[in-house]
Amino acid sequence: AHLSDVALMSLEEQEVLTKLKRRALGRASTKLFAPERKPGFSMVTNKEVLAALQKILSDTHKATDNWTRDRGCALHGRHHCDTACIFKHRASVPTGFELTRAERNRNAPLWHVYATTRSAIKQETQSGTGPSLQRFSPLSAFEVPLEEPLDPEVNEWRLLHGSGWEACKGICGSNFRLKLAGTGATWKTPGMESGQPLYGYGVYLAERSTKADEYAEEIHGGLKSDEGCHTMLVCRVVGGLCRVVDTNEFDADDLRRDILDGPYHSVLGDRVVKLGKPYREVVVHDNNQIFPEFILYYKRLGMPD
């Protein structure tokens, strides 16, 4: 069994835990020491940090063979037409991304849970009782100045997740909600509220900005300078022991059991090497293995008017 027990909780139990976390965050501190700053966001102003975040966007962009069905239809958007229409009228893929600003997530309680989970998984992988850890290095696993270095001994990475800006804010506050898996931009039959994610229900994260951008949404409202921009999260993720899937011969329920009941901590869906598909993705079933670190506000480049 894993040392992180949250992954074994039912969705209802996880909701109760989330509510308890929120309640704890709202309590007044009675400590003798100065209280920590409340969770929130800090505007990133350091030029080196901004340059590193722009580098993540630019260096992980895929310039060719970069369209998938999740990008949607140029005429109807996502989930409003059938597959034939989508493939006939493919939505354009940006030629690049320009960072306009970034916010750093200042959520100490969430970080504490993440750091504790990271330590527990590292202890587990070094216990000698299970498979040896095979190191992987996603394209997005860049270091960021002024931040704690990533730990390769536990497969700690930076990965990307595109979404609407309000959703990004919510994730930074209380982390990903696993019960919402499949209800976002995952491919769905038109008219259905949710779809079946490829590798089963979990949190999906990308190593390429082009893939994460498929699920980002244009900002309407908020700051005037953000109008027309999109958002994605840069997340620290503990991959631990990865269950690598590089063919179409797998069962999503078996993958979930390998994570929850077996020795693995994450799924690396590699559809590139053998299947010739554009992207790899990482799936995590315990949101405590994720810390949403930055919100990136950016412009899509090279899009038709």
Side-chain angles (χ1 to χ4, degrees):
H2 294 310
L3 296 175
S4 176
D5 295 329
V6 178
L8 303 179
M9 292 181 176
S10 67
L11 293 176
E12 290 76 14
E13 290 171 331
Q14 290 189 35
E15 283 295 294
V16 170
L17 180 60
T18 298
K19 290 178 181 178
L20 289 174
K21 288 180 183 176
R22 289 174 180 165
R23 186 179 302 172
L25 294 178
R27 289 175 179 163
S29 174
T30 57
K31 297 180 180 179
L32 295 176
F33 303 99
E36 292 184 352
R37 299 172 69 183
K38 290 182 179 180
F41 300 92
S42 298
M43 186 76 74
V44 178
T45 57
N46 183 281
K47 292 182 179 180
E48 292 184 355
V49 175
L50 289 170
L53 297 176
Q54 176 65 65
K55 184 176 177 64
I56 292 175
L57 282 175
S58 299
D59 287 12
T60 66
H61 171 61
K62 196 172 194 299
T64 60
D65 185 27
N66 55 13
W67 186 90
T68 78
R69 183 174 60 176
D70 287 351
R71 176 68 61 180
C73 175
L75 300 180
H76 307 104
R78 289 192 297 251
H79 317 316
H80 298 298
C81 58
D82 59 24
T83 303
C85 185
I86 291 174
F87 277 86
K88 184 177 180 180
H89 305 286
R90 296 184 175 191
S92 298
V93 180
T95 59
F97 307 105
E98 179 185 340
L99 183 69
T100 59
R101 70 183 184 94
E103 292 176 330
R104 184 183 185 278
N105 186 18
R106 197 181 65 246
N107 192 329
L110 210 63
W111 171 258
H112 176 73
V113 172
Y114 170 80
T116 301
T117 302
R118 180 180 57 185
S119 296
I121 291 177
K122 186 171 184 177
Q123 179 181 341
E124 184 179 323
T125 57
Q126 295 180 344
S127 65
T129 59
S132 299
L133 183 139
Q134 182 179 355
R135 293 187 183 183
F136 295 97
S137 184
L139 297 173
S140 53
F142 288 96
E143 296 292 352
V144 174
L146 308 182
E147 299 297 332
E148 179 182 319
L150 300 172
D151 187 351
E153 293 186 2
V154 73
N155 274 333
E156 185 182 19
W157 311 311
R158 280 191 171 88
L159 293 167
L160 307 171
H161 183 89
S163 191
W165 73 277
E166 290 181 320
C168 287
K169 294 277 189 180
I171 292 167
C172 286
S174 56
N175 218 330
F176 290 88
R177 298 174 64 187
L178 296 180
K179 77 172 187 177
L180 296 181
T183 63
T186 300
W187 166 252
K188 310 173 186 64
T189 301
M192 300 296 290
E193 293 185 358
S194 64
Q196 172 66 50
L198 180 62
Y199 300 108
Y201 294 100
V203 180
Y204 281 65
L205 301 125
E207 66 172 350
R208 284 194 177 273
S209 56
T210 322
K211 180 61 177 174
D213 175 69
E214 290 184 342
Y215 313 104
E217 298 175 6
E218 187 173 338
I219 297 175
H220 298 286
L223 297 178
K224 186 176 181 179
S225 59
D226 291 338
E227 287 281 343
C229 292
H230 292 71
T231 50
M232 74 173 65
L233 293 167
V234 176
C235 301
R236 293 181 78 113
V237 181
V238 181
L241 289 173
C242 293
R243 170 75 156 81
V244 180
V245 179
D246 56 9
T247 72
N248 286 326
E249 304 300 321
F250 65 90
D251 181 271
D253 291 333
D254 287 343
L255 292 181
R256 183 174 176 83
R257 281 190 289 271
D258 283 345
I259 305 299
L260 299 185
D261 300 326
Y264 297 98
H265 305 98
S266 62
V267 173
L268 174 62
D270 185 348
R271 297 177 62 76
V272 176
V273 174
K274 293 182 179 180
L275 299 176
K277 300 297 183 180
Y279 301 111
R280 301 193 303 180
E281 292 183 280
V282 171
V283 186
V284 174
H285 293 281
D286 180 356
N287 62 1
N288 290 331
Q289 290 173 232
I290 307 170
F291 179 72
E293 191 176 27
F294 295 97
I295 302 179
L296 306 186
Y297 295 76
Y298 64 94
K299 294 179 181 179
R300 289 175 170 174
L301 303 179
M303 298 296 288
D305 294 332

